[in-house]
Structures are given as C-alpha cells and as structure tokens.
PDB file of all heavy atoms in Angstrom:
ATOM      1  N   GLU A   1      64.418  80.908  76.887  1.00 94.00           N
ATOM      2  CA  GLU A   1      63.326  81.734  76.821  1.00 94.00           C
ATOM      3  C   GLU A   1      63.401  82.990  77.719  1.00 94.00           C
ATOM      4  O   GLU A   1      62.655  83.923  77.557  1.00 94.00           O
ATOM      5  CB  GLU A   1      62.039  80.902  77.290  1.00 94.00           C
ATOM      6  CG  GLU A   1      61.716  79.711  76.351  1.00 94.00           C
ATOM      7  CD  GLU A   1      60.635  78.979  76.834  1.00 94.00           C
ATOM      8  OE1 GLU A   1      60.151  79.244  77.904  1.00 94.00           O
ATOM      9  OE2 GLU A   1      60.131  78.081  76.108  1.00 94.00           O
ATOM     10  N   GLU A   2      64.274  83.020  78.644  1.00 97.00           N
ATOM     11  CA  GLU A   2      64.459  84.062  79.582  1.00 97.00           C
ATOM     12  C   GLU A   2      65.646  84.977  79.108  1.00 97.00           C
ATOM     13  O   GLU A   2      66.826  84.561  79.380  1.00 97.00           O
ATOM     14  CB  GLU A   2      64.519  83.520  80.944  1.00 97.00           C
ATOM     15  CG  GLU A   2      64.400  84.712  81.966  1.00 97.00           C
ATOM     16  CD  GLU A   2      64.374  84.006  83.405  1.00 97.00           C
ATOM     17  OE1 GLU A   2      64.258  82.892  83.613  1.00 97.00           O
ATOM     18  OE2 GLU A   2      64.433  84.929  84.410  1.00 97.00           O
ATOM     19  N   VAL A   3      65.431  86.214  78.620  1.00 98.00           N
ATOM     20  CA  VAL A   3      66.454  87.101  78.261  1.00 98.00           C
ATOM     21  C   VAL A   3      66.144  88.378  78.795  1.00 98.00           C
ATOM     22  O   VAL A   3      65.031  88.891  78.809  1.00 98.00           O
ATOM     23  CB  VAL A   3      66.455  87.199  76.737  1.00 98.00           C
ATOM     24  CG1 VAL A   3      67.605  88.104  76.186  1.00 98.00           C
ATOM     25  CG2 VAL A   3      66.581  85.796  76.021  1.00 98.00           C
ATOM     26  N   TRP A   4      67.163  88.992  79.406  1.00 98.00           N
ATOM     27  CA  TRP A   4      67.064  90.322  80.087  1.00 98.00           C
ATOM     28  C   TRP A   4      67.792  91.378  79.219  1.00 98.00           C
ATOM     29  O   TRP A   4      68.950  91.141  78.897  1.00 98.00           O
ATOM     30  CB  TRP A   4      67.653  90.363  81.558  1.00 98.00           C
ATOM     31  CG  TRP A   4      66.946  89.300  82.403  1.00 98.00           C
ATOM     32  CD1 TRP A   4      65.894  88.589  82.224  1.00 98.00           C
ATOM     33  CD2 TRP A   4      67.401  89.010  83.786  1.00 98.00           C
ATOM     34  NE1 TRP A   4      65.570  87.845  83.320  1.00 98.00           N
ATOM     35  CE2 TRP A   4      66.472  88.141  84.201  1.00 98.00           C
ATOM     36  CE3 TRP A   4      68.426  89.504  84.617  1.00 98.00           C
ATOM     37  CZ2 TRP A   4      66.525  87.641  85.612  1.00 98.00           C
ATOM     38  CZ3 TRP A   4      68.460  89.024  85.895  1.00 98.00           C
ATOM     39  CH2 TRP A   4      67.658  88.114  86.382  1.00 98.00           C
ATOM     40  N   ALA A   5      67.057  92.508  79.072  1.00 97.00           N
ATOM     41  CA  ALA A   5      67.793  93.579  78.387  1.00 97.00           C
ATOM     42  C   ALA A   5      68.549  94.461  79.274  1.00 97.00           C
ATOM     43  O   ALA A   5      68.046  95.577  79.707  1.00 97.00           O
ATOM     44  CB  ALA A   5      66.620  94.407  77.525  1.00 97.00           C
ATOM     45  N   VAL A   6      69.632  94.036  79.754  1.00 96.00           N
ATOM     46  CA  VAL A   6      70.446  94.724  80.751  1.00 96.00           C
ATOM     47  C   VAL A   6      71.956  94.201  80.471  1.00 96.00           C
ATOM     48  O   VAL A   6      72.258  93.170  80.281  1.00 96.00           O
ATOM     49  CB  VAL A   6      70.021  94.430  82.138  1.00 96.00           C
ATOM     50  CG1 VAL A   6      70.135  92.900  82.498  1.00 96.00           C
ATOM     51  CG2 VAL A   6      70.845  95.203  83.100  1.00 96.00           C
ATOM     52  N   GLY A   7      72.779  95.277  80.559  1.00 95.00           N
ATOM     53  CA  GLY A   7      74.231  94.945  80.361  1.00 95.00           C
ATOM     54  C   GLY A   7      75.143  95.452  81.397  1.00 95.00           C
ATOM     55  O   GLY A   7      74.732  96.087  82.386  1.00 95.00           O
ATOM     56  N   GLY A   8      76.513  95.441  81.187  1.00 94.00           N
ATOM     57  CA  GLY A   8      77.387  95.940  82.166  1.00 94.00           C
ATOM     58  C   GLY A   8      77.336  95.314  83.506  1.00 94.00           C
ATOM     59  O   GLY A   8      76.821  94.338  83.817  1.00 94.00           O
ATOM     60  N   GLY A   9      78.024  96.011  84.509  1.00 95.00           N
ATOM     61  CA  GLY A   9      78.104  95.693  85.831  1.00 95.00           C
ATOM     62  C   GLY A   9      76.729  95.497  86.496  1.00 95.00           C
ATOM     63  O   GLY A   9      76.506  94.651  87.289  1.00 95.00           O
ATOM     64  N   GLN A  10      75.793  96.257  85.987  1.00 97.00           N
ATOM     65  CA  GLN A  10      74.322  96.170  86.572  1.00 97.00           C
ATOM     66  C   GLN A  10      73.658  94.878  86.178  1.00 97.00           C
ATOM     67  O   GLN A  10      72.866  94.372  86.980  1.00 97.00           O
ATOM     68  CB  GLN A  10      73.577  97.438  86.112  1.00 97.00           C
ATOM     69  CG  GLN A  10      73.203  97.515  84.695  1.00 97.00           C
ATOM     70  CD  GLN A  10      74.244  98.301  83.800  1.00 97.00           C
ATOM     71  OE1 GLN A  10      75.320  98.427  84.252  1.00 97.00           O
ATOM     72  NE2 GLN A  10      73.877  98.880  82.601  1.00 97.00           N
ATOM     73  N   ALA A  11      74.066  94.335  85.034  1.00 97.00           N
ATOM     74  CA  ALA A  11      73.520  93.065  84.680  1.00 97.00           C
ATOM     75  C   ALA A  11      73.951  92.014  85.542  1.00 97.00           C
ATOM     76  O   ALA A  11      73.291  91.011  86.089  1.00 97.00           O
ATOM     77  CB  ALA A  11      73.971  92.655  83.240  1.00 97.00           C
ATOM     78  N   ILE A  12      75.466  91.992  86.041  1.00 97.00           N
ATOM     79  CA  ILE A  12      75.958  90.943  86.815  1.00 97.00           C
ATOM     80  C   ILE A  12      75.283  91.085  88.167  1.00 97.00           C
ATOM     81  O   ILE A  12      74.989  90.075  88.845  1.00 97.00           O
ATOM     82  CB  ILE A  12      77.520  91.148  86.907  1.00 97.00           C
ATOM     83  CG1 ILE A  12      78.089  91.124  85.503  1.00 97.00           C
ATOM     84  CG2 ILE A  12      78.115  90.150  87.901  1.00 97.00           C
ATOM     85  CD1 ILE A  12      77.906  89.854  84.712  1.00 97.00           C
ATOM     86  N   ALA A  13      75.131  92.228  88.751  1.00 98.00           N
ATOM     87  CA  ALA A  13      74.477  92.512  90.019  1.00 98.00           C
ATOM     88  C   ALA A  13      73.121  92.037  90.050  1.00 98.00           C
ATOM     89  O   ALA A  13      72.742  91.372  90.916  1.00 98.00           O
ATOM     90  CB  ALA A  13      74.518  93.916  90.403  1.00 98.00           C
ATOM     91  N   LEU A  14      72.320  92.313  89.038  1.00 98.00           N
ATOM     92  CA  LEU A  14      70.906  91.866  88.938  1.00 98.00           C
ATOM     93  C   LEU A  14      70.753  90.474  88.837  1.00 98.00           C
ATOM     94  O   LEU A  14      69.870  89.808  89.550  1.00 98.00           O
ATOM     95  CB  LEU A  14      70.203  92.589  87.777  1.00 98.00           C
ATOM     96  CG  LEU A  14      68.740  92.355  87.786  1.00 98.00           C
ATOM     97  CD1 LEU A  14      68.072  93.073  89.017  1.00 98.00           C
ATOM     98  CD2 LEU A  14      68.118  93.109  86.459  1.00 98.00           C
ATOM     99  N   MET A  15      71.682  89.730  88.093  1.00 98.00           N
ATOM    100  CA  MET A  15      71.538  88.315  88.042  1.00 98.00           C
ATOM    101  C   MET A  15      71.890  87.591  89.406  1.00 98.00           C
ATOM    102  O   MET A  15      71.334  86.584  89.847  1.00 98.00           O
ATOM    103  CB  MET A  15      72.582  87.681  86.936  1.00 98.00           C
ATOM    104  CG  MET A  15      71.963  87.991  85.512  1.00 98.00           C
ATOM    105  SD  MET A  15      72.917  87.023  84.221  1.00 98.00           S
ATOM    106  CE  MET A  15      74.418  87.865  84.184  1.00 98.00           C
ATOM    107  N   ALA A  16      72.757  88.324  90.052  1.00 98.00           N
ATOM    108  CA  ALA A  16      73.313  87.764  91.469  1.00 98.00           C
ATOM    109  C   ALA A  16      72.215  87.797  92.502  1.00 98.00           C
ATOM    110  O   ALA A  16      71.966  87.022  93.217  1.00 98.00           O
ATOM    111  CB  ALA A  16      74.602  88.486  91.830  1.00 98.00           C
ATOM    112  N   TYR A  17      71.562  88.983  92.472  1.00 97.00           N
ATOM    113  CA  TYR A  17      70.615  89.366  93.568  1.00 97.00           C
ATOM    114  C   TYR A  17      69.106  89.211  93.125  1.00 97.00           C
ATOM    115  O   TYR A  17      68.252  89.004  94.085  1.00 97.00           O
ATOM    116  CB  TYR A  17      70.844  90.750  94.099  1.00 97.00           C
ATOM    117  CG  TYR A  17      72.209  90.806  94.855  1.00 97.00           C
ATOM    118  CD1 TYR A  17      73.244  91.468  94.168  1.00 97.00           C
ATOM    119  CD2 TYR A  17      72.384  90.256  96.098  1.00 97.00           C
ATOM    120  CE1 TYR A  17      74.491  91.564  94.894  1.00 97.00           C
ATOM    121  CE2 TYR A  17      73.648  90.367  96.802  1.00 97.00           C
ATOM    122  CZ  TYR A  17      74.652  90.925  95.993  1.00 97.00           C
ATOM    123  OH  TYR A  17      75.947  91.097  96.619  1.00 97.00           O
ATOM    124  N   GLY A  18      68.826  89.302  91.904  1.00 96.00           N
ATOM    125  CA  GLY A  18      67.485  89.197  91.409  1.00 96.00           C
ATOM    126  C   GLY A  18      66.562  90.307  91.929  1.00 96.00           C
ATOM    127  O   GLY A  18      67.020  91.249  92.595  1.00 96.00           O
ATOM    128  N   ASP A  19      65.212  90.165  91.687  1.00 96.00           N
ATOM    129  CA  ASP A  19      64.285  91.125  92.080  1.00 96.00           C
ATOM    130  C   ASP A  19      62.959  90.407  92.181  1.00 96.00           C
ATOM    131  O   ASP A  19      62.312  90.212  91.159  1.00 96.00           O
ATOM    132  CB  ASP A  19      64.202  92.352  91.178  1.00 96.00           C
ATOM    133  CG  ASP A  19      63.274  93.454  91.608  1.00 96.00           C
ATOM    134  OD1 ASP A  19      62.252  93.169  92.424  1.00 96.00           O
ATOM    135  OD2 ASP A  19      63.480  94.675  91.243  1.00 96.00           O
ATOM    136  N   ASP A  20      62.485  90.051  93.383  1.00 94.00           N
ATOM    137  CA  ASP A  20      61.197  89.387  93.604  1.00 94.00           C
ATOM    138  C   ASP A  20      59.982  90.191  92.972  1.00 94.00           C
ATOM    139  O   ASP A  20      59.098  89.565  92.203  1.00 94.00           O
ATOM    140  CB  ASP A  20      60.922  89.015  95.057  1.00 94.00           C
ATOM    141  CG  ASP A  20      62.019  87.978  95.582  1.00 94.00           C
ATOM    142  OD1 ASP A  20      62.414  87.235  94.769  1.00 94.00           O
ATOM    143  OD2 ASP A  20      62.180  88.045  96.681  1.00 94.00           O
ATOM    144  N   ASP A  21      59.997  91.427  93.192  1.00 94.00           N
ATOM    145  CA  ASP A  21      58.909  92.233  92.731  1.00 94.00           C
ATOM    146  C   ASP A  21      58.801  92.264  91.252  1.00 94.00           C
ATOM    147  O   ASP A  21      57.723  92.350  90.637  1.00 94.00           O
ATOM    148  CB  ASP A  21      59.040  93.688  93.356  1.00 94.00           C
ATOM    149  CG  ASP A  21      58.895  93.733  94.792  1.00 94.00           C
ATOM    150  OD1 ASP A  21      58.134  92.803  95.387  1.00 94.00           O
ATOM    151  OD2 ASP A  21      59.337  94.701  95.350  1.00 94.00           O
ATOM    152  N   ALA A  22      59.921  92.201  90.541  1.00 93.00           N
ATOM    153  CA  ALA A  22      59.946  92.258  89.033  1.00 93.00           C
ATOM    154  C   ALA A  22      59.858  90.856  88.535  1.00 93.00           C
ATOM    155  O   ALA A  22      60.029  90.729  87.312  1.00 93.00           O
ATOM    156  CB  ALA A  22      61.101  93.027  88.616  1.00 93.00           C
ATOM    157  N   GLU A  23      59.712  89.894  89.389  1.00 94.00           N
ATOM    158  CA  GLU A  23      59.728  88.374  89.002  1.00 94.00           C
ATOM    159  C   GLU A  23      61.009  88.024  88.254  1.00 94.00           C
ATOM    160  O   GLU A  23      60.880  87.344  87.244  1.00 94.00           O
ATOM    161  CB  GLU A  23      58.448  88.077  88.239  1.00 94.00           C
ATOM    162  CG  GLU A  23      57.207  88.328  88.949  1.00 94.00           C
ATOM    163  CD  GLU A  23      55.972  87.994  88.214  1.00 94.00           C
ATOM    164  OE1 GLU A  23      56.160  87.762  87.069  1.00 94.00           O
ATOM    165  OE2 GLU A  23      54.877  87.739  88.891  1.00 94.00           O
ATOM    166  N   LEU A  24      62.232  88.580  88.751  1.00 96.00           N
ATOM    167  CA  LEU A  24      63.462  88.102  88.232  1.00 96.00           C
ATOM    168  C   LEU A  24      64.226  87.408  89.307  1.00 96.00           C
ATOM    169  O   LEU A  24      64.682  87.985  90.130  1.00 96.00           O
ATOM    170  CB  LEU A  24      64.221  89.485  87.781  1.00 96.00           C
ATOM    171  CG  LEU A  24      63.544  90.437  86.742  1.00 96.00           C
ATOM    172  CD1 LEU A  24      64.366  91.731  86.720  1.00 96.00           C
ATOM    173  CD2 LEU A  24      63.322  89.635  85.486  1.00 96.00           C
ATOM    174  N   ALA A  25      64.253  86.034  89.018  1.00 96.00           N
ATOM    175  CA  ALA A  25      64.883  85.255  90.103  1.00 96.00           C
ATOM    176  C   ALA A  25      66.472  85.285  89.931  1.00 96.00           C
ATOM    177  O   ALA A  25      66.982  85.261  88.836  1.00 96.00           O
ATOM    178  CB  ALA A  25      64.345  83.807  89.818  1.00 96.00           C
ATOM    179  N   PRO A  26      67.112  85.284  91.010  1.00 97.00           N
ATOM    180  CA  PRO A  26      68.549  85.282  90.879  1.00 97.00           C
ATOM    181  C   PRO A  26      69.090  84.063  90.494  1.00 97.00           C
ATOM    182  O   PRO A  26      68.415  82.874  90.469  1.00 97.00           O
ATOM    183  CB  PRO A  26      68.947  85.587  92.443  1.00 97.00           C
ATOM    184  CG  PRO A  26      67.771  85.052  93.296  1.00 97.00           C
ATOM    185  CD  PRO A  26      66.653  85.356  92.477  1.00 97.00           C
ATOM    186  N   VAL A  27      70.349  84.037  90.138  1.00 98.00           N
ATOM    187  CA  VAL A  27      70.906  82.760  89.591  1.00 98.00           C
ATOM    188  C   VAL A  27      71.992  82.237  90.639  1.00 98.00           C
ATOM    189  O   VAL A  27      72.259  82.860  91.541  1.00 98.00           O
ATOM    190  CB  VAL A  27      71.712  83.040  88.146  1.00 98.00           C
ATOM    191  CG1 VAL A  27      70.741  83.699  87.205  1.00 98.00           C
ATOM    192  CG2 VAL A  27      72.855  83.973  88.406  1.00 98.00           C
ATOM    193  N   ASP A  28      72.450  80.974  90.240  1.00 97.00           N
ATOM    194  CA  ASP A  28      73.375  80.372  91.041  1.00 97.00           C
ATOM    195  C   ASP A  28      74.851  80.588  90.647  1.00 97.00           C
ATOM    196  O   ASP A  28      75.859  80.424  91.378  1.00 97.00           O
ATOM    197  CB  ASP A  28      73.170  78.766  91.387  1.00 97.00           C
ATOM    198  CG  ASP A  28      71.658  78.673  91.878  1.00 97.00           C
ATOM    199  OD1 ASP A  28      71.238  79.260  92.914  1.00 97.00           O
ATOM    200  OD2 ASP A  28      70.938  77.904  91.167  1.00 97.00           O
ATOM    201  N   MET A  29      74.933  80.795  89.280  1.00 97.00           N
ATOM    202  CA  MET A  29      76.330  81.010  88.810  1.00 97.00           C
ATOM    203  C   MET A  29      76.322  81.797  87.520  1.00 97.00           C
ATOM    204  O   MET A  29      75.234  81.909  86.859  1.00 97.00           O
ATOM    205  CB  MET A  29      76.901  79.561  88.385  1.00 97.00           C
ATOM    206  CG  MET A  29      78.296  79.632  87.742  1.00 97.00           C
ATOM    207  SD  MET A  29      79.056  77.991  87.523  1.00 97.00           S
ATOM    208  CE  MET A  29      80.747  78.627  86.963  1.00 97.00           C
ATOM    209  N   ILE A  30      77.263  82.800  87.374  1.00 97.00           N
ATOM    210  CA  ILE A  30      77.328  83.639  86.265  1.00 97.00           C
ATOM    211  C   ILE A  30      78.475  83.389  85.383  1.00 97.00           C
ATOM    212  O   ILE A  30      79.685  83.257  85.787  1.00 97.00           O
ATOM    213  CB  ILE A  30      77.349  85.113  86.726  1.00 97.00           C
ATOM    214  CG1 ILE A  30      76.090  85.478  87.531  1.00 97.00           C
ATOM    215  CG2 ILE A  30      77.444  86.011  85.486  1.00 97.00           C
ATOM    216  CD1 ILE A  30      76.228  86.854  88.213  1.00 97.00           C
ATOM    217  N   THR A  31      78.221  83.087  84.069  1.00 96.00           N
ATOM    218  CA  THR A  31      79.431  83.004  83.163  1.00 96.00           C
ATOM    219  C   THR A  31      79.200  84.070  81.959  1.00 96.00           C
ATOM    220  O   THR A  31      78.349  84.641  81.802  1.00 96.00           O
ATOM    221  CB  THR A  31      79.538  81.549  82.640  1.00 96.00           C
ATOM    222  OG1 THR A  31      78.222  81.447  81.635  1.00 96.00           O
ATOM    223  CG2 THR A  31      79.195  80.453  83.669  1.00 96.00           C
ATOM    224  N   GLY A  32      80.332  84.005  81.246  1.00 93.00           N
ATOM    225  CA  GLY A  32      80.324  84.913  79.982  1.00 93.00           C
ATOM    226  C   GLY A  32      81.342  86.085  80.041  1.00 93.00           C
ATOM    227  O   GLY A  32      81.661  86.667  81.064  1.00 93.00           O
ATOM    228  N   PRO A  33      81.860  86.439  78.833  1.00 88.00           N
ATOM    229  CA  PRO A  33      82.805  87.540  78.813  1.00 88.00           C
ATOM    230  C   PRO A  33      82.188  88.978  78.894  1.00 88.00           C
ATOM    231  O   PRO A  33      80.979  89.128  78.789  1.00 88.00           O
ATOM    232  CB  PRO A  33      83.438  87.369  77.353  1.00 88.00           C
ATOM    233  CG  PRO A  33      82.171  86.771  76.571  1.00 88.00           C
ATOM    234  CD  PRO A  33      81.500  85.908  77.529  1.00 88.00           C
ATOM    235  N   GLY A  34      83.078  89.870  79.148  1.00 86.00           N
ATOM    236  CA  GLY A  34      82.558  91.180  79.190  1.00 86.00           C
ATOM    237  C   GLY A  34      83.734  92.152  79.443  1.00 86.00           C
ATOM    238  O   GLY A  34      84.962  91.790  79.504  1.00 86.00           O
ATOM    239  N   ASN A  35      83.561  93.482  79.544  1.00 83.00           N
ATOM    240  CA  ASN A  35      84.594  94.445  79.691  1.00 83.00           C
ATOM    241  C   ASN A  35      85.036  94.418  81.144  1.00 83.00           C
ATOM    242  O   ASN A  35      84.655  93.699  81.995  1.00 83.00           O
ATOM    243  CB  ASN A  35      84.103  95.918  79.189  1.00 83.00           C
ATOM    244  CG  ASN A  35      83.043  96.436  80.039  1.00 83.00           C
ATOM    245  OD1 ASN A  35      82.744  95.951  81.131  1.00 83.00           O
ATOM    246  ND2 ASN A  35      82.279  97.312  79.455  1.00 83.00           N
ATOM    247  N   ILE A  36      85.914  95.370  81.376  1.00 85.00           N
ATOM    248  CA  ILE A  36      86.547  95.437  82.741  1.00 85.00           C
ATOM    249  C   ILE A  36      85.598  95.700  83.848  1.00 85.00           C
ATOM    250  O   ILE A  36      85.687  95.103  84.948  1.00 85.00           O
ATOM    251  CB  ILE A  36      87.709  96.473  82.716  1.00 85.00           C
ATOM    252  CG1 ILE A  36      88.734  96.282  84.012  1.00 85.00           C
ATOM    253  CG2 ILE A  36      87.255  97.921  82.621  1.00 85.00           C
ATOM    254  CD1 ILE A  36      89.876  97.177  83.852  1.00 85.00           C
ATOM    255  N   PHE A  37      84.512  96.432  83.549  1.00 91.00           N
ATOM    256  CA  PHE A  37      83.477  96.597  84.499  1.00 91.00           C
ATOM    257  C   PHE A  37      82.626  95.469  84.841  1.00 91.00           C
ATOM    258  O   PHE A  37      82.105  95.261  85.976  1.00 91.00           O
ATOM    259  CB  PHE A  37      82.691  97.899  84.107  1.00 91.00           C
ATOM    260  CG  PHE A  37      83.330  99.148  83.846  1.00 91.00           C
ATOM    261  CD1 PHE A  37      83.816  99.534  82.664  1.00 91.00           C
ATOM    262  CD2 PHE A  37      83.835  99.931  84.874  1.00 91.00           C
ATOM    263  CE1 PHE A  37      84.381 100.654  82.229  1.00 91.00           C
ATOM    264  CE2 PHE A  37      84.631 101.104  84.639  1.00 91.00           C
ATOM    265  CZ  PHE A  37      84.820 101.483  83.380  1.00 91.00           C
ATOM    266  N   VAL A  38      82.393  94.655  83.848  1.00 93.00           N
ATOM    267  CA  VAL A  38      81.654  93.428  84.051  1.00 93.00           C
ATOM    268  C   VAL A  38      82.540  92.559  84.931  1.00 93.00           C
ATOM    269  O   VAL A  38      82.055  91.815  85.801  1.00 93.00           O
ATOM    270  CB  VAL A  38      81.345  92.704  82.664  1.00 93.00           C
ATOM    271  CG1 VAL A  38      80.945  91.381  82.821  1.00 93.00           C
ATOM    272  CG2 VAL A  38      80.246  93.544  81.953  1.00 93.00           C
ATOM    273  N   THR A  39      83.779  92.430  84.635  1.00 92.00           N
ATOM    274  CA  THR A  39      84.703  91.555  85.362  1.00 92.00           C
ATOM    275  C   THR A  39      84.823  91.956  86.833  1.00 92.00           C
ATOM    276  O   THR A  39      84.847  91.226  87.683  1.00 92.00           O
ATOM    277  CB  THR A  39      86.121  91.566  84.767  1.00 92.00           C
ATOM    278  OG1 THR A  39      86.050  91.222  83.372  1.00 92.00           O
ATOM    279  CG2 THR A  39      87.163  90.762  85.501  1.00 92.00           C
ATOM    280  N   ALA A  40      84.862  93.416  87.039  1.00 94.00           N
ATOM    281  CA  ALA A  40      84.914  93.899  88.368  1.00 94.00           C
ATOM    282  C   ALA A  40      83.578  93.510  89.158  1.00 94.00           C
ATOM    283  O   ALA A  40      83.644  93.127  90.345  1.00 94.00           O
ATOM    284  CB  ALA A  40      85.070  95.272  88.379  1.00 94.00           C
ATOM    285  N   ALA A  41      82.464  93.674  88.506  1.00 96.00           N
ATOM    286  CA  ALA A  41      81.167  93.255  89.139  1.00 96.00           C
ATOM    287  C   ALA A  41      81.284  91.876  89.529  1.00 96.00           C
ATOM    288  O   ALA A  41      80.701  91.477  90.538  1.00 96.00           O
ATOM    289  CB  ALA A  41      79.979  93.651  88.277  1.00 96.00           C
ATOM    290  N   LYS A  42      81.728  90.973  88.613  1.00 96.00           N
ATOM    291  CA  LYS A  42      81.882  89.485  88.908  1.00 96.00           C
ATOM    292  C   LYS A  42      82.626  89.263  90.209  1.00 96.00           C
ATOM    293  O   LYS A  42      82.292  88.455  91.075  1.00 96.00           O
ATOM    294  CB  LYS A  42      82.442  88.716  87.801  1.00 96.00           C
ATOM    295  CG  LYS A  42      81.552  88.394  86.644  1.00 96.00           C
ATOM    296  CD  LYS A  42      82.219  87.608  85.676  1.00 96.00           C
ATOM    297  CE  LYS A  42      81.454  87.258  84.447  1.00 96.00           C
ATOM    298  NZ  LYS A  42      82.309  86.464  83.501  1.00 96.00           N
TER     299      LYS A  42
END
C-alpha cells in the first residue's frame, strides 16, 4: 500500500533517513536493483 514516487540515489537516501514532517518513516533494510548512482547511494 505504501509506494513513493521517487527514484535514483535520492530514493535510497529518503528510505534510509525518512521524513517525519512528511510522514515518511525510514526503513531498516533496502533491496532492489538500480543504476550505478543507486548502487553508490546504497
């Protein structure tokens, strides 16, 4: 039910740190493929 319209390295960072004001809770683990910028962010 929870889908975020965000990609790239910024998506990885947002999942890692979240945003309390935007009610986006951070996660404990990140999985999934991506380009070299996604990999660098991981």
Side-chain angles (χ1 to χ4, degrees):
E1 298 180 350
E2 193 172 350
V3 182
W4 298 356
V6 59
Q10 64 269 27
I12 303 302
L14 189 60
M15 287 193 287
Y17 292 105
D19 184 335
D20 290 335
D21 293 335
E23 297 184 346
L24 303 173
V27 303
D28 302 309
M29 183 172 186
I30 298 172
T31 71
N35 61 22
I36 192 169
F37 300 102
V38 168
T39 303
K42 282 186 184 179

